[in-house]
Amino acid sequence: PMIIQQVAAPKGWTYLRKDIEPVLGRAKAAMQKKGILYGDLGPAAGLEGEAHKAMNDSDWSKAYLAAMQLAATVDAIKIDRNFVSAKHGRLHNRVKSGKLDEATSQQLTAGMSEVLQKYGDGDFAAANKKLNALWALGGFR
């Protein structure tokens, strides 16, 4: 389960693009460093889009709150046994339901075996990295 932390803006505070873009940048950098895909964010996956839409609408408080929620969610994610297990399950379900060519299907199956090996060894960061590669190989989003 994904926990989304509600972040409240101080009363009377006015935000601008220069306050929001660094928060989004830090969140995206943390996602990249941890190997978190947007699909890993669950209900928080749309927060970046919400922030950008709110900025386009000049709703700076809403944009700031969405950016802060995204950053807090990314910071709270730990690449551990539960995270990798859930991501593996999502990929497995996607592979089962997808129409893939034989070569891609074989590569995904072999790769998922490698993920399970890394998972069993307790190397969750490497397992997550391999899962990200498999998501890209399968052309999944």
Side-chain angles (χ1 to χ4, degrees), residues 4-9 15 20 23-24 27 41 43-55 59-74:
I4 298 178
Q5 299 178 356
Q6 290 287 26
V7 181
Y15 298 101
I20 300 161
V23 176
L24 289 173
L41 295 175
L47 288 172
E48 183 181 7
E50 283 182 36
H52 285 293
K53 181 182 181 321
M55 283 192 292
D59 189 346
W60 304 108
S61 292
K62 183 176 180 180
Y64 183 78
L65 290 175
M68 289 299 290
Q69 281 186 295
L70 176 63
T73 300
V74 171

Side-chain angles (χ1 to χ4, degrees), residues 84-85 87-89 91 108-124 126-134:
V84 172
S85 179
K87 191 172 196 172
H88 181 271
L91 180 61
L108 288 170
T109 301
M112 290 177 77
S113 295
E114 186 180 332
V115 167
L116 291 175
Q117 179 64 47
K118 292 176 187 312
Y119 178 88
D121 293 342
D123 190 352
F124 304 119
N128 184 51
K129 185 176 181 179
K130 183 64 178 182
L131 281 168
N132 288 347
L134 293 174

Side-chain angles (χ1 to χ4, degrees), residues 78-126:
K78 300 208 180 335
I79 309 303
D80 59 9
R81 181 175 303 278
N82 292 334
F83 178 87
V84 172
S85 179
K87 191 172 196 172
H88 181 271
R90 287 192 310 274
L91 180 61
H92 178 73
N93 290 338
R94 198 71 182 275
V95 169
K96 280 180 25 181
S97 67
K99 304 286 187 227
L100 302 169
D101 63 78
E102 186 63 31
T104 302
S105 183
Q106 287 178 350
Q107 286 180 305
L108 288 170
T109 301
M112 290 177 77
S113 295
E114 186 180 332
V115 167
L116 291 175
Q117 179 64 47
K118 292 176 187 312
Y119 178 88
D121 293 342
D123 190 352
F124 304 119

Side-chain angles (χ1 to χ4, degrees), residues 3-4 8 21 35 38 40-41 54 57 63 76 79 81 110 133 135:
I3 298 172
I4 298 178
E21 287 179 342
Y38 284 100
D40 298 332
L41 295 175
D57 295 342
I79 309 303
R81 181 175 303 278
W135 274 98

